[in-house]
Amino acid sequence: MLTKPENPVVNERDSSTLLTRAAELAARYVNSASERAVAPKETAVAALQRFHEPFPDSGCDPEKVLAFLDELGSPATVATTGGRYFGFVNGGTLPTSLAANWLAGAWDQNAALRVMSPVAAELEEIAIRWVCEALGLPPDSAGGLVTGATMANFTSLAAARSALLAREGWNVVEDGLFHAPPIEVVAGVEVHASLLKALSLLGLGRKRLNLVEVDEQGRMRADKLPKLSRNTIVCIQAGNVNTGAFDPASQICEAAHQQGAWVHVDGAFGLWAGVSPQYRHLLNGFEKADSWATDAHKWPNVSYDCGVAIVRDAEALRTCMELSSAAYLTPGAKREPMYYTPECSRRARAVELWAALKSLGRPGMAELVERTCAHARRFAAGLRAAGCRVLNDVVINQVLVSFGDSSKTQDVIRSVQEEGTCWCGGTVWQGKTAMRISVSSWATTDDDVDRSLEAILRAARIIEAASN
Ligand SMILES: Cc1ncc(COP(=O)(O)O)c(C=O)c1O
């Protein structure tokens, strides 16, 4: 008879003590995230050196491992889950999503095939349908859950590439791209860098891209579109990463479809504005596209990582993500998750996505979008009132602000990050250095905005005084 080894890692009693302790430490972290400095202290970052040691010759008690992780790891995190992190477009994590993430972690499901995890397969199907419903996308589209918008762009563009070439009688899955009919890719000058990466991974090449002029908000100029054809993929944006601006989708889709071109939408965060009756008009026309990429870990505040690729032509996505024969991996009769994504084995990220959508529902998601946009307007109003220059039309949750010349603006950004009340990053917008404020967390309150405004304006005053 097999006996349980005396290894603490596999001892059941210890594992429930361990899990309870992990939950205590996690709750303590969550509760303190809003009060601590947003960026980690230099001493905390320096202490990470203590992780460096040769591969251990002996094991370590799991509780000690956890304690060590908390002692060194927790202080060296950036408090993105508190209410005053405004960097990049990083969402926080909704309590429901975090809790679902813990349960899913305990389940440890492989979401590749339905037979490996019926629950993961079912929730994925439901979550993708709900995303289509929430965003007003065609209900019979196919979709897949991937790590983020970069991979969602990759996945959708792979489907576009296969479908356009199939129309030309070329099977890219079987024959690759060598000697294939050429595909033209068109995007605005303000295309997100990650989309260029996706194109290069797909063999479509960053340099082959035909870049179209944009206006002062970064919107692609529909009147400047080049000649399109049935071999063109046009990439448009719902939500510019700096300004939050939306490309004129209706005009572009109409022009593209007249020529038989494929339109892909990078809507990493902006697509979610469509759940709000107040902001839905910004998404007019985006539903006419052929594929969409978005992130659930940004505006919807689903735990990292969770990107969503949606393709109108379900068969196009399935054809290029299908696995060639492997006797032990036969698909069942129903939708198989791995037939819609580049990966086979992967975590069951649908669990958190489903939980977030279920708990918020349409009104909760709309409120999250509207509240974060209102916070962005509050920032912009406070900055303007203090004499700062807001560089963008604040259409959704993004604010760009300049504090004078490039070096002053950079100094303010550095000083704000070091001071720790809040965290904002920098950018260069159409030649001007700017601070980016992206309000993407459910946890941000009016008080967080006011405290952050005070900290930013204090830093700006000090830098201004020092420069005189
Ligand atoms: C418009 C846009 N596309 C793509 C991405 C890449 O997203 P991810 O980092 O989730 O892959 C971002 C990230 O901010 C973005 O804003």
Side-chain angles (χ1 to χ4, degrees):
M1 193 182 91
L2 284 175
T3 52
K4 279 211 164 132
E6 277 310 304
N7 184 336
V9 178
V10 291
N11 181 301
E12 269 172 31
R13 226 187 20 233
D14 282 357
S15 88
S16 81
T17 312
L18 187 68
L19 293 179
T20 308
R21 183 67 189 138
E24 282 165 11
L25 293 174
R28 194 172 73 187
Y29 179 83
V30 168
N31 293 334
S32 64
S34 269
E35 288 321 311
R36 54 163 275 198
V38 178
K41 296 198 178 96
E42 267 177 40
T43 48
V45 176
L48 293 173
Q49 285 308 313
R50 288 176 54 206
F51 278 126
H52 291 272
E53 56 174 337
F55 179 54
D57 282 330
S58 59
C60 177
D61 174 47
E63 286 205 35
K64 286 195 182 139
V65 173
L66 189 69
F68 193 48
L69 197 55
D70 182 53
E71 182 197 338
L72 291 190
S74 296
T77 55
V78 176
T80 51
T81 59
R84 293 187 305 282
Y85 182 80
F86 307 109
F88 307 95
V89 192
N90 286 356
T93 176
L94 291 164
T96 332
S97 169
L98 176 59
N101 172 284
W102 287 353
L103 191 56
W107 292 348
D108 190 31
Q109 298 290 279
N110 185 339
L113 284 171
R114 192 169 283 268
V115 71
M116 292 178 187
S117 179
V119 63
E122 206 67 36
L123 289 181
E124 184 164 314
E125 206 171 330
I126 295 163
I128 288 169
R129 179 164 54 78
W130 284 0
V131 169
C132 289
E133 283 179 36
L135 306 184
L137 305 181
D140 42 6
S141 304
L145 297 187
V146 290
T147 47
T150 306
M151 281 310 290
N153 280 324
F154 173 89
T155 304
S156 302
L157 290 168
R161 186 189 67 168
S162 300
L164 295 195
L165 288 177
R167 275 198 323 215
E168 300 301 308
W170 187 270
N171 184 339
V172 70
V173 175
E174 296 297 330
D175 301 322
L177 275 179
F178 297 104
H179 311 299
I183 289 185
E184 301 289 330
V185 185
V186 171
V189 169
E190 274 296 329
V191 60
H192 194 270
S194 66
L195 194 128
L196 304 183
K197 181 172 175 177
L199 288 173
S200 74
L201 292 173
L202 286 163
L204 294 174
R206 297 173 199 219
K207 283 196 184 158
R208 294 174 47 88
L209 195 62
N210 198 338
L211 289 175
V212 181
E213 241 179 77
V214 295
D215 68 11
E216 75 296 342
Q217 297 301 316
R219 291 173 292 229
M220 190 196 282
R221 297 228 353 225
D223 59 326
K224 297 282 181 184
L225 277 172
K227 196 165 176 299
L228 307 174
S229 78
R230 48 190 272 124
N231 286 351
T232 313
I233 303 173
V234 185
C235 301
I236 60 174
Q237 281 195 128
N240 174 284
V241 71
N242 285 312
T243 62
F246 293 74
D247 286 342
S250 268
Q251 278 167 278
I252 297 172
C253 286
E254 202 181 315
H257 287 155
Q258 267 171 14
Q259 304 304 324
W262 179 293
V263 182
H264 169 70
V265 179
D266 177 358
F269 59 103
L271 269 181
W272 293 93
V275 302
S276 153
Q278 197 181 329
Y279 293 96
R280 191 166 299 142
H281 63 280
L282 296 171
L283 274 305
N284 278 347
F286 280 94
E287 78 288 352
K288 294 181 188 149
D290 301 285
S291 57
W292 303 263
T294 192
D295 264 324
H297 58 222
K298 289 191 166 72
W299 227 350
N301 281 246
V302 170
S303 320
Y304 278 92
D305 47 29
C306 189
V308 191
I310 309 274
V311 178
R312 180 189 292 275
D313 177 352
E315 209 38 45
L317 178 60
R318 205 191 128 98
T319 309
C320 71
M321 294 300 159
E322 207 164 39
L323 215 66
S324 53
S325 62
Y328 76 107
L329 288 175
T330 38
K334 294 170 99 178
R335 177 187 184 278
E336 293 292 3
M338 79 178 191
Y339 279 65
Y340 295 88
T341 56
E343 310 94 332
C344 292
S345 293
R346 59 187 160 91
R347 70 183 199 91
R349 51 177 67 86
V351 180
E352 297 103 305
L353 176 56
W354 171 86
L357 296 174
K358 171 86 177 157
S359 75
L360 290 180
R362 197 180 284 280
M365 196 60 86
E367 196 272 337
L368 172 59
V369 163
E370 286 159 18
R371 182 156 41 92
T372 42
C373 290
H375 288 326
R377 286 197 302 275
R378 192 178 180 99
F379 263 119
L383 291 162
R384 280 196 198 103
C388 307
R389 191 157 161 238
V390 173
L391 302 181
N392 65 318
D393 293 345
V394 181
V395 285
I396 46 170
N397 60 340
Q398 305 290 120
V399 183
L400 293 180
V401 56
S402 154
F403 299 95
D405 61 23
S406 170
S407 110
K408 271 189 210 165
T409 302
Q410 277 169 1
D411 286 347
V412 175
I413 295 168
R414 197 173 314 113
S415 154
V416 164
Q417 290 177 355
E418 281 167 13
E419 191 269 341
T421 300
C422 65
W423 201 99
C424 305
T427 192
V428 178
W429 175 248
Q430 299 189 338
K432 292 189 194 67
T433 302
M435 174 189 272
R436 295 179 67 254
I437 303 173
S438 172
V439 191
S440 304
S441 174
W442 71 278
T444 301
T445 61
D446 282 350
D447 181 55
D448 285 321
V449 175
D450 293 345
R451 280 171 67 183
S452 303
L453 258 175
E454 256 176 59
I456 294 168
L457 294 175
R458 196 166 48 237
R461 277 194 302 272
I462 293 170
I463 303 293
E464 184 59 41
S467 73
N468 291 327

